[in-house]
Amino acid sequence: MAGRFILRVLAFVVLVGLVSAGIFFGIPNNQKAYLAALQDKQARLDSLQASGKPKMVLIGGSNVAFGLNSRSLEQAFGLPVVNMATHAGLRYEYMIRQVSAYPRPGDVYLIFPEFSQMYEPLSVGTPILYQSLEVFPQGYAYCNQDGLLGPVKLRANAFVEIIQLKVKRSLGRAMGMTEKNAYQRSVFDHYGDIWTPMTLKSRYKQDDKHMEKDRGALPDEDFVRLTNDFAQMAKAKGATVLFLFPAVAEAKWDTGVGQVTQDYLKKHLALPIVNNPADYVYANDLFFDTKYHTTQHGREIRTDQTIRDLQGYLSAP
Amino acid sequence: MLFNSFEFLLFFPLVIMLYFSMPYRYRWVLLLISSYYFYMSWKPEYAILLLISTLVDYFAANQMAAKTDKKARRPYLILSMVSNLGLLFSFKYFNFFRDNWNPLMDQLGLFAHLPELQILLPVGISFYTFQTMSYTIDVYKGEMKPEKHLGIFAVYVTFFPQLVAGPIERAPHLLPQFRQNFDFDYARVREGLILMLWGFFKKLIIADRVAEYVNGIYDAPQVKEGLTNLVASYLFAFQIYCDFSGYSDIAIGASLIMGYRLMKNFERPYFADSIQNFWKRWHISLSTWFRDYLYIPLGGNRTVKWRWWYNLFITFLISGLWHGAAWTFIIWGGIHGALLVIGLWTTSLREGFMRVTGLVRMPKLRRALEMFVVFHLVIIGWVFFRAESLPDALVVLKSFAMIRPAAVGPLLDSLQSFGWLEFVIALGAIGTMEFLHYLQERGWSLHQRVGALSMPLRWGLYLVATMAIVLFGKFSSQAEFIYFQF
C-alpha cells in the first residue's frame, strides 16, 4: 500500500515538474524587461575592463539608476563611467559581488546603498533577485548561496519565481493589464542611467511614514563587513572605493535614523564616507515616484552636489 | 522552521518516510528529535525553554498524582503555573509592563524604573505554555492520570506540527494518541495531504498576497483615505483568517498523515451570525481553553447576571492580552467581550426587531443580515488587532466615517501600486475559498467529494490545485505566520 502510494506521489511530482518545465521553457523570456538592463550594464562594464583604462563604477539600487548623471561625472573626473544600478531588491551582496572581479589601478568605485540595504541581513532572497535571473542568468554567481542547501534553494526559488513571472505576464497581457509604466530596459542609456521617466512629472506621494522600517537598532554587521572587505580588496589592487549616502525625499527623512546610521558607519566603515546624509534630503517634488527616484531636475541637483563632495577625494582630469 | 519554507519541503517527507519505516515503539524518539530540530532551526537556545516547561510539568504532574489530597497537590500546580506564566511574563510581557510602569513611576515622582530586556519573543511560547498548563490543571483536578513516560510527554509538549501556533491540544485528547500504533492508511494520508494543500492555498495565495497591500496601507493609515483604509481592513480580515487557519490546516493535515487527529481550530468564522457563534468558529482551541480554564472557574454563566457578564468580559480581555503585549490587543479582546455582553443584554430587543420587521419569517435573509453585521463588527476589532498603535487604530476608524466620493481615485492608485493582477488573483482566491466555505456550510465535504471523483478527475484537480499554489503562491517572501508572534 505504502509503496504504491509513494509511486503515485512520485508520478504526481514528475507531472507537476513537467508542467512547470513546460511553462519555464515554453514562455519566452522578456528581453524588454527593466531587469534585462543588467545585460547591458554588464556588457559596458566588460568593455571598459577590456579597454584597460581606469573607470568609474556606480553601485547601488534604483536611487543610483534614477539619481545620477554619469556623463556629468565622466566630464568632472575624466573617467569613463558605468552605472551598474538597477534595483535595491537585487540585494547589496549581489551588487558587490558583481563588481568584485573588476578593480584595477586607478579605478573608482562609488557605493550608494539605500538605507534598507544597510539594515537587512544579507542572506534573504527577494522576488526581484529571482526574477532578474530570468534575463540575466549570469547573476546566479552573484547571489548568496551559503549553507548546505544554498545553491539548490536559490535555483528552486528562482525557478518558481520565474515561472510565476511568465504566467502573470501572459495573463496580464491576455487581460489587457500590461504595464504601461516607465520600467523597461529601453529607459536606460548606454551609461546605465535612466532617462525616459525623467521627462515625466513628479507623482511621488508619501506612501508610508517611516524612512525605513527599523529592522534593527543598528546597521547590519554583515553589511559593514562586506563593504570593508570589498574596499580592502579594491584598495590592494590600486582602486579607490568611496561610500556615499543616497538622496531621500524630505517626507521620508528621519533625522534619528539618519544620525544613528551615519555615526555607526563612520565608526565601523574602513573607507571614506563622502557626504552627509542630511545634506541630500530634497523636496518631495524632486522625486518621480518613490522616495529614492529623483526627477530629472532632482538628478541634476544631486549630481552637481555629488561632484562637489567628491572633489575632496578625487582629482579633476 | 516555517511550513512555507524550502527546508520543510525536505524535512517533512523525510520525517514521514522514517516514521512509517520505524517500529512503533521508537516513533516517539523520531518525533521528539524532529520536533526539537524543527524548533531549533529558528533559535536553538530557546529550546531550553521547551525543556524547562516539559521537565517542570512532568515533575509537577507526577508529584500531584502521588497525592490523594487536593491540598497536597496544590503546591505542584502552583509550581507549574509559576514556571509557565513566569516564562511567558519574562519573555512576552515584561517589556510591555515596563513601558507602562516607568511612566507611571514618573507620574508619581518615584524613580523605581525597570530596565528593558533585550530579548526576542520565543516563537510559540503562548501556545506550548498554555498546552502544558492545561495538562497540569487536568491532572490537579483528577480528570486525567499523569503521563509516566517522559519521552512521550515531551512529544506532547513539542509535537512539531502544532508546536508554534497550535491548535492548543488537550492532553486527554492528544497524549493517548502517541501510544497508538498507526499504520500507513491511504485514505487518511490522502485526507491529510488535501488538508495541507488547502492550508497552503490559504496561506500562500491569499494571506501572503493580501499582506503586501495591507502592510502598505496600515504602515501609514493617517495619510490614506478612509475608503483605502476600509478596503485594507476587509482584506486584513481575510489575511488573518487565511494565515492562521492555513497554519492550522497544515498542522492538522501533517499530523493526520502520521495518524494523529488534532482538534479543529476554525469552522468558517465569517459565516457566524453572532459574536458568540464567531467564537465557536474562530481559534476554537484557544476559546475552549479560556472557557474551561478561566471562564468556568470564574463562575461562568451559573451566577448572577452582572457577574456572568463580568466573567465574559474579563475572559476576553485576558484573551486579548494573550495575543500580544500591547494595548491594541487588550482593546481588541475588550471589544469582543463587550460585544458578547451587549449581545446577551439585547437578545429580546433584537428578537423584537426581527418580529416587527418581519425578518423572523425570512430566516435566510435574517441570517444574511446577521452575518453582515457580525462580519463588520469583527472588522472593527481587527482594526485594533492590526494597527501598529492605538492612535493608528483610531485614525483608521475615524477615516471610515469620513469616506467621500473623491476617495475612489486614491483607492485605485493604491490598487494600481499593488498590481491589478495581484488584486484580481487575491479576489479570485478569496471568492473560491468563500464559495467552498458556503458549500461546506450546506453540508458539503471537500474531502469526501474529492475522494469520490474518478482517478483522472481527481488527479486533474490535484494538479490544478498544486499548480495554482506553485504559480500564484508567494514563496520568496517566506512570510512568517502572524500567530507566531503570539
Side-chain angles (χ1 to χ4, degrees):
Chain A
M1 176 80 92
R4 204 178 66 179
F5 180 79
I6 290 169
L7 277 179
R8 283 184 178 188
V9 168
L10 285 178
F12 185 72
V13 169
V14 169
L15 193 60
V16 170
L18 283 174
V19 175
S20 304
I23 294 168
F24 188 86
F25 293 109
I27 301 178
N29 296 338
N30 182 10
Q31 295 298 342
K32 291 179 181 172
Y34 177 83
L35 291 169
L38 282 163
Q39 295 173 19
D40 308 327
K41 288 163 184 269
Q42 184 73 49
R44 178 162 170 83
L45 179 64
D46 289 337
S47 106
L48 292 182
Q49 186 77 352
S51 75
K53 292 176 189 163
K55 58 193 174 295
M56 179 181 275
V57 182
L58 311 183
I59 303 159
S62 55
N63 86 85
V64 181
F66 276 85
L68 288 165
N69 184 336
S70 296
R71 187 187 298 274
S72 301
L73 284 163
E74 193 170 272
Q75 285 166 357
F77 300 105
L79 291 171
V81 175
V82 53
N83 185 339
M84 296 301 291
T86 47
H87 199 298
L90 286 180
R91 312 313 297 262
Y92 186 63
E93 188 174 17
Y94 180 109
M95 294 167 190
I96 294 295
R97 283 189 184 186
Q98 192 179 10
V99 298
S100 285
Y102 290 85
R104 277 193 175 164
D107 280 359
V108 174
Y109 290 81
L110 304 181
I111 308 176
F112 307 77
E114 290 170 13
F115 282 94
S116 62
Q117 295 183 306
M118 303 175 202
Y119 282 87
E120 278 165 351
L122 296 179
S123 59
V124 183
T126 65
I128 291 292
L129 177 71
Y130 301 133
Q131 287 169 15
S132 74
L133 298 167
E134 178 200 11
V135 284
F136 189 62
Q138 300 96 305
Y140 279 108
Y142 311 137
C143 295
N144 186 308
Q145 302 188 39
D146 292 349
L148 190 65
L149 294 173
V152 184
K153 209 171 147 180
L154 170 68
R155 276 155 186 81
N157 278 326
F159 178 78
V160 171
E161 199 66 47
I162 290 169
I163 61 170
Q164 288 197 350
L165 186 67
K166 289 184 173 194
V167 167
K168 282 185 203 165
R169 201 159 54 218
S170 306
L171 266 180
R173 276 185 196 142
M175 296 164 78
M177 290 177 177
T178 46
E179 288 286 319
K180 287 174 185 156
N181 63 24
Y183 294 93
Q184 290 173 26
R185 184 181 186 174
S186 59
V187 300
F188 291 90
D189 66 11
H190 79 283
Y191 288 105
D193 299 347
I194 291 177
W195 277 101
T196 307
M198 298 297 165
T199 58
L200 300 175
K201 276 187 182 171
S202 169
R203 55 182 170 90
Y204 171 65
K205 288 171 198 151
Q206 185 185 353
D207 50 3
D208 63 57
K209 66 186 165 192
H210 303 292
M211 181 165 94
E212 288 306 337
K213 272 276 181 200
D214 192 6
R215 291 185 171 85
L218 294 168
D220 193 75
E221 283 177 13
D222 285 341
F223 168 80
V224 172
R225 179 187 49 76
L226 193 65
T227 311
N228 286 341
D229 288 352
F230 174 69
Q232 197 178 10
M233 179 274 291
K235 195 177 168 188
K237 292 185 176 177
T240 302
V241 183
L242 300 171
F243 184 95
L244 296 98
F245 284 99
V248 184
E250 63 180 347
K252 289 303 172 66
W253 176 246
D254 181 320
T255 310
V257 175
Q259 194 62 53
V260 166
T261 312
Q262 187 181 17
D263 290 348
Y264 183 84
L265 294 181
K266 266 187 176 170
K267 199 171 161 189
H268 293 91
L269 281 186
L271 71 162
I273 298 177
V274 173
N275 59 358
N276 179 0
D279 295 341
Y280 283 76
V281 178
Y282 296 161
N284 295 339
D285 60 7
L286 291 176
F287 289 82
F288 164 58
D289 59 348
T290 79
K291 62 189 169 188
Y292 284 126
H293 297 176
T294 47
T295 58
Q296 188 159 0
H297 186 41
R299 185 235 293 265
E300 296 316 321
I301 292 174
R302 183 184 178 191
T303 305
D304 290 347
Q305 195 177 356
T306 302
I307 289 171
R308 280 199 303 278
D309 283 341
L310 281 171
Q311 277 162 350
Y313 297 87
L314 303 172
S315 53
Chain B
M1 190 184 299
L2 297 170
F3 283 160
N4 52 331
S5 67
F6 184 74
E7 286 79 1
F8 187 74
L9 195 66
L10 301 178
F11 167 84
F12 187 62
L14 184 68
V15 170
I16 294 301
M17 280 195 284
L18 289 172
Y19 179 85
F20 282 115
S21 48
M22 237 177 192
Y24 300 125
R25 65 179 182 279
Y26 297 127
R27 282 180 178 176
W28 69 267
V29 180
L30 172 73
L31 290 178
L32 191 59
I33 292 170
S34 48
S35 295
Y36 267 91
Y37 176 78
F38 182 87
Y39 194 76
M40 288 170 76
S41 63
W42 168 68
K43 202 163 174 54
E45 52 269 40
Y46 278 178
I48 193 81
L49 304 180
L50 272 177
L51 193 64
I52 290 171
S53 199
T54 305
L55 293 176
V56 168
D57 290 316
Y58 175 80
F59 170 76
N62 279 285
Q63 288 300 312
M64 279 193 273
K67 319 277 186 245
T68 47
D69 181 16
K70 222 173 181 181
K71 207 172 169 186
R73 294 208 290 264
R74 192 161 296 153
Y76 298 103
L77 177 70
I78 292 170
L79 171 71
S80 167
M81 295 294 115
V82 167
S83 70
N84 282 303
L85 294 175
L87 284 179
L88 206 51
F89 179 78
S90 311
F91 285 88
K92 184 167 175 175
Y93 297 106
F94 180 83
N95 284 338
F96 173 62
F97 178 72
R98 170 200 169 270
D99 291 345
N100 289 282
W101 172 266
N102 287 356
L104 183 71
M105 288 299 104
D106 288 343
Q107 291 280 320
L108 296 172
L110 301 169
F111 295 98
H113 280 189
L114 293 169
E116 186 179 1
L117 290 183
Q118 297 287 345
I119 45 171
L120 276 178
L121 177 68
V123 167
I125 190 166
S126 303
F127 290 90
Y128 68 75
T129 49
F130 267 48
Q131 181 159 312
T132 51
M133 276 195 298
S134 73
Y135 163 74
T136 44
I137 295 169
D138 286 350
V139 173
Y140 169 76
K141 291 200 290 194
E143 288 176 4
M144 70 172 291
K145 286 186 176 166
E147 174 57 59
K148 298 280 182 199
H149 192 300
L150 177 60
I152 286 182
F153 178 69
V155 174
Y156 163 70
V157 178
T158 60
F159 188 44
F160 74 85
Q162 47 90 239
L163 169 61
V164 291
I168 302 169
E169 280 293 331
R170 304 297 179 79
H173 179 240
L174 184 60
L175 252 175
Q177 294 189 54
F178 292 122
R179 290 195 175 277
Q180 281 178 261
N181 300 331
F182 294 110
D183 288 321
F184 183 90
D185 179 85
Y186 186 93
R188 193 194 67 225
V189 171
R190 188 177 64 194
E191 189 184 344
L193 283 173
I194 291 174
L195 211 48
M196 287 182 82
L197 203 64
W198 183 230
F200 280 120
F201 174 87
K202 288 197 270 189
K203 167 67 177 166
L204 295 170
I205 300 186
I206 302 177
D208 289 352
R209 168 166 280 99
V210 158
E212 290 177 8
Y213 181 77
V214 175
N215 293 346
I217 304 302
Y218 265 86
D219 202 26
Q222 53 277 70
V223 296
K224 305 292 187 318
E225 285 283 346
L227 189 60
T228 311
N229 287 334
L230 184 65
V231 170
S233 303
Y234 278 126
L235 289 176
F236 178 68
F238 290 104
Q239 182 199 339
I240 187 143
Y241 168 66
C242 291
D243 192 282
F244 191 22
S245 73
Y247 186 94
S248 293
D249 288 342
I250 300 167
I252 295 168
S255 308
L256 195 57
I257 289 171
M258 292 182 272
Y260 309 105
R261 288 198 181 264
L262 302 184
M263 71 181 292
K264 190 176 265 187
N265 218 13
F266 289 88
E267 185 96 58
R268 303 173 294 282
Y270 297 141
F271 280 80
D273 53 9
S274 68
I275 294 292
Q276 201 174 10
N277 187 228
F278 176 80
W279 280 102
K280 286 180 179 163
R281 293 164 174 263
W282 180 274
H283 203 175
I284 300 164
S285 65
L286 182 74
S287 50
T288 51
W289 196 102
F290 273 110
R291 181 196 65 199
D292 296 344
Y293 300 106
L294 183 64
Y295 174 69
I296 291 174
L298 280 173
N301 58 0
R302 293 183 175 179
T303 178
V304 291
K305 218 172 224 179
W306 73 265
R307 178 68 203 201
W308 173 24
W309 294 351
Y310 169 82
N311 293 343
L312 259 180
F313 187 73
I314 285 293
T315 302
F316 274 87
L317 216 53
I318 293 173
S319 158
L321 185 63
W322 177 91
H323 282 82
W327 284 106
T328 46
F329 291 110
I330 298 172
I331 289 175
W332 170 76
I335 287 172
H336 277 274
L339 287 172
L340 277 167
V341 171
I342 292 167
L344 291 169
W345 186 38
T346 58
T347 308
S348 54
L349 199 71
R350 283 181 291 124
E351 283 303 322
F353 175 77
M354 297 298 173
R355 274 196 303 274
V356 169
T357 53
L359 281 167
V360 80
R361 291 188 300 277
M362 293 177 274
K364 281 186 181 170
L365 181 61
R366 175 186 171 159
R367 178 142 199 270
L369 271 176
E370 284 172 339
M371 277 168 49
F372 179 84
V373 171
V374 168
F375 180 67
H376 285 84
L377 291 174
V378 168
I379 294 247
I380 292 172
W382 287 142
V383 169
F384 286 91
F385 196 96
R386 175 59 186 81
E388 289 181 9
S389 65
L390 213 48
D392 274 12
L394 297 174
V395 160
V396 171
L397 288 180
K398 201 173 153 194
S399 75
F400 290 170
M402 295 159 73
I403 291 175
R404 56 203 179 101
V408 174
L411 171 68
L412 296 179
D413 282 350
S414 71
L415 291 173
Q416 189 172 17
S417 309
F418 174 51
W420 284 110
L421 188 59
E422 293 295 309
F423 186 60
V424 168
I425 294 169
L427 285 189
I430 291 170
T432 305
M433 176 185 74
E434 287 304 324
F435 178 66
L436 287 173
H437 281 174
Y438 170 75
L439 294 176
Q440 286 173 323
E441 280 288 305
R442 297 174 59 125
W444 198 84
S445 160
L446 177 67
H447 164 243
Q448 282 173 6
R449 288 291 174 123
V450 173
L453 292 173
S454 64
M455 196 184 157
L457 269 179
R458 209 169 59 233
W459 273 57
L461 197 67
Y462 295 155
L463 186 64
V464 167
T466 307
M467 285 312 298
I469 293 169
V470 170
L471 295 176
F472 301 115
K474 292 277 178 185
F475 292 96
S476 49
S477 57
Q478 285 204 359
E480 280 193 356
F481 290 83
I482 296 175
Y483 266 67
F484 275 20
Q485 62 187 296
F486 308 139

